Amino acid sequence: MDISVIIATYNRKDSLKETLDALSRQDFCHLSYEVIVINDGSSDGTVELLEEYSVFGTIGLRFFNQQNQGPAAARNLGIQYAKGRIIAFTDDDCIPSQNWLCTIDAQFKNSNIVGLQGSTFTDKDKITPLTHQIDNTQGNKSVPTCNAAYLKSALDAIGGFDTEFPFPHNEDADLAWRIQKNGEIGFCADMLVYHPPRMDTFTKVSKRMKIMESEFRLFYKDPESYRKNRGTSPWQIIYWEVMVKTQWYYFKTRFKYLKRPKLMFQGLALTFIWWWDLIRFYPKFWNANKVHKKMF
């Protein structure tokens, strides 16, 4: 087994089917890769879909169920059961290109890298304030796991993902920065994954700022890597990069939806909610800073 593809999934049955369909169309020899899906406590019929795929699908699919613990724990379970020399990660709302696995295999064979990230693109015309998408066509120092691959030996050497992050945010950056201490993580523009803009509810999107608490664990685990790859401190990232620069950018761009007033007002409302949340979460962030400073 050359490559094990690992997907953590939670209540995204329809988009997961698109991902699995794309993996079944790979140019790579179907006997040389497996797909491992970790169902992280879904309740939307995901189990039935996986059962059907494991019996009637054209790819070697194995799936495992766990109570909802988040993507880091789910991916660690997948790594535990993986048989491949290379572990490739994508998400349950992504569509890998047909030559995705061939490209990954060639890159690892022709270099001494221990990890690899690819180019993730989206449909910019379909982006709205309520959509979720990844647009990473030049490489990102956080190495998003929607399009990344590592030697299994490198993952085993560091113990996989850190499951102690308070929210599903930054565990992929932490993993990449720890692996980089043991070898190079390359970037390949031909390793393509399409991440369509996926519609979320207003309520879900409005709660986005709470994940910034994860910045403190990431910083205190490795301040040197954080300063090298992200910024001077979590406070600078949260209250300058996100609260000022990013939110001001969002505020200005909301007005391009003038001809779609509902979207415009939803976008403006989200910006003000995020600003307010960053103010009211300050005590939580202060406590997280103290806790993780003592911890590390």
Side-chain angles (χ1 to χ4, degrees), residues 53-205:
Y53 238 97
S54 65
V55 175
F56 300 107
T58 59
I59 53 177
L61 171 69
R62 291 187 291 153
F63 71 93
F64 303 91
N65 298 308
Q66 67 174 26
Q67 292 183 340
N68 184 253
Q69 300 176 54
R75 293 182 185 118
N76 281 346
L77 184 60
I79 295 168
Q80 177 183 331
Y81 286 106
K83 300 176 182 177
R85 181 179 70 91
I86 299 166
I87 307 294
F89 295 103
T90 192
D91 287 345
D92 59 0
D93 57 353
C94 292
I95 302 174
S97 62
Q98 191 168 339
N99 68 341
W100 186 60
L101 291 178
C102 280
T103 303
I104 291 171
D105 183 62
Q107 290 293 313
F108 276 94
K109 283 181 176 177
N110 296 322
S111 65
N112 293 319
I113 57 174
V114 297
L116 182 68
Q117 70 167 312
S119 177
T120 304
F121 64 100
T122 191
D123 189 339
K124 295 182 179 181
D125 291 336
K126 295 181 179 180
I127 295 175
T128 77
L130 295 180
T131 57
H132 167 68
Q133 60 282 317
I134 300 294
D135 187 23
N136 173 34
T137 57
Q138 303 297 320
N140 187 299
K141 292 180 180 179
S142 295
V143 191
T145 40
C146 60
N147 188 8
Y150 297 97
L151 293 177
K152 187 175 189 298
S153 58
L155 291 167
D156 290 340
I158 64 164
F161 291 88
D162 179 353
T163 61
E164 296 301 318
F165 279 90
F167 296 100
H169 175 62
N170 282 333
E171 74 281 354
D172 46 5
D174 169 68
L175 180 92
W177 297 353
R178 285 186 287 133
I179 283 182
Q180 280 178 324
K181 296 183 183 299
N182 298 323
E184 179 187 356
I185 297 176
F187 172 76
C188 178
D190 295 327
M191 180 182 162
L192 293 171
V193 163
Y194 173 47
H195 194 302
R198 305 285 189 181
M199 185 67 70
D200 280 331
T201 65
F202 182 89
T203 300
K204 181 178 179 180
V205 178

Side-chain angles (χ1 to χ4, degrees), residues 240-266:
W240 175 246
E241 296 295 335
V242 175
M243 186 175 187
V244 177
K245 293 172 66 175
T246 301
Q247 299 308 327
W248 177 242
Y249 168 79
Y250 282 151
F251 179 79
K252 292 187 295 182
T253 60
R254 302 311 192 196
F255 294 100
K256 71 180 181 180
Y257 299 106
L258 276 169
K259 295 182 179 179
R260 303 170 69 184
K262 182 178 179 180
L263 273 179
M264 183 183 72
F265 286 116
Q266 285 177 324

